[in-house]
Amino acid sequence: MTQQQTVAQRRLAPNDPRYAEVVDFYFYEAELLDDLNERQWLTDLVSPDIVYQVPIRETVERARGFGFSETSFHLNENLGSLESRVARGETKYAWAEDPPSRVRHFVANIRVREHESGDAQLLTGRSNILLYRTRQDQTTPQMLSGERRDVLRREDGRLKLLHRVVYLDLTVIGTHNLSLFF
């Protein structure tokens, strides 16, 4: 059996209940983040063992690889740093986001597979993301697009985000801060 056949067999069809569960997870996540319910997002959907990364994109020829640094990140977070970001946003000292940005998460092209380890508690999700952000009275929106590659783990009967890598399409991020969640 070839690697391509193995990957195709692990892909979940849209009529698989696990596929629907992951889609619901992503849509609920987008709702929480769009509604600025970051504390609930952290509590309901994020595993205590989270690894949350946004690697730096590099412009390279195809022969030199995927085009992302494996050692440099815009964000390289764990539960403690995500907790700090959320807690800071809940204070009156989060001046960079007060008043908060208006953000919409558009999630599309959701693909779900069984995890390569064969562990039934893990699922792999890939999705395309478009963040549409406006700040204060600005008339030009900021848009960030990319692909999210996630590992979701069943914890206490619910899916939780265990590992997320966001591959942004931009090499230079033209936003004044990255105080948002992908």
Side-chain angles (χ1 to χ4, degrees), residues 88-103:
R88 186 172 189 283
E90 294 168 337
T91 72
K92 61 183 179 182
Y93 301 108
W95 56 267
E97 278 298 314
D98 193 16
S101 295
R102 292 169 295 278
V103 178

Side-chain angles (χ1 to χ4, degrees), residues 111-116 122-126 150-152:
R111 290 93 68 205
V112 182
R113 288 187 166 79
E114 293 177 348
H115 193 265
E116 61 190 19
L122 300 174
L123 291 171
T124 302
R126 289 175 67 171
D150 299 332
V151 176
L152 304 172

Side-chain angles (χ1 to χ4, degrees), residues 138-182:
Q138 292 177 343
T139 57
T140 304
Q142 301 165 348
M143 288 191 280
L144 299 169
S145 66
E147 180 185 54
R148 301 184 305 188
R149 294 188 183 180
D150 299 332
V151 176
L152 304 172
R153 179 170 66 190
R154 190 165 308 283
E155 298 177 9
D156 299 322
R158 298 179 57 195
L159 291 179
K160 298 265 187 154
L161 182 61
L162 177 64
H163 189 204
R164 171 166 288 164
V165 180
V166 181
Y167 295 105
L168 293 177
D169 294 326
L170 301 165
T171 53
V172 176
I173 299 175
T175 182
H176 74 287
N177 68 42
L178 271 179
S179 60
L180 46 82
F181 297 97
F182 295 93

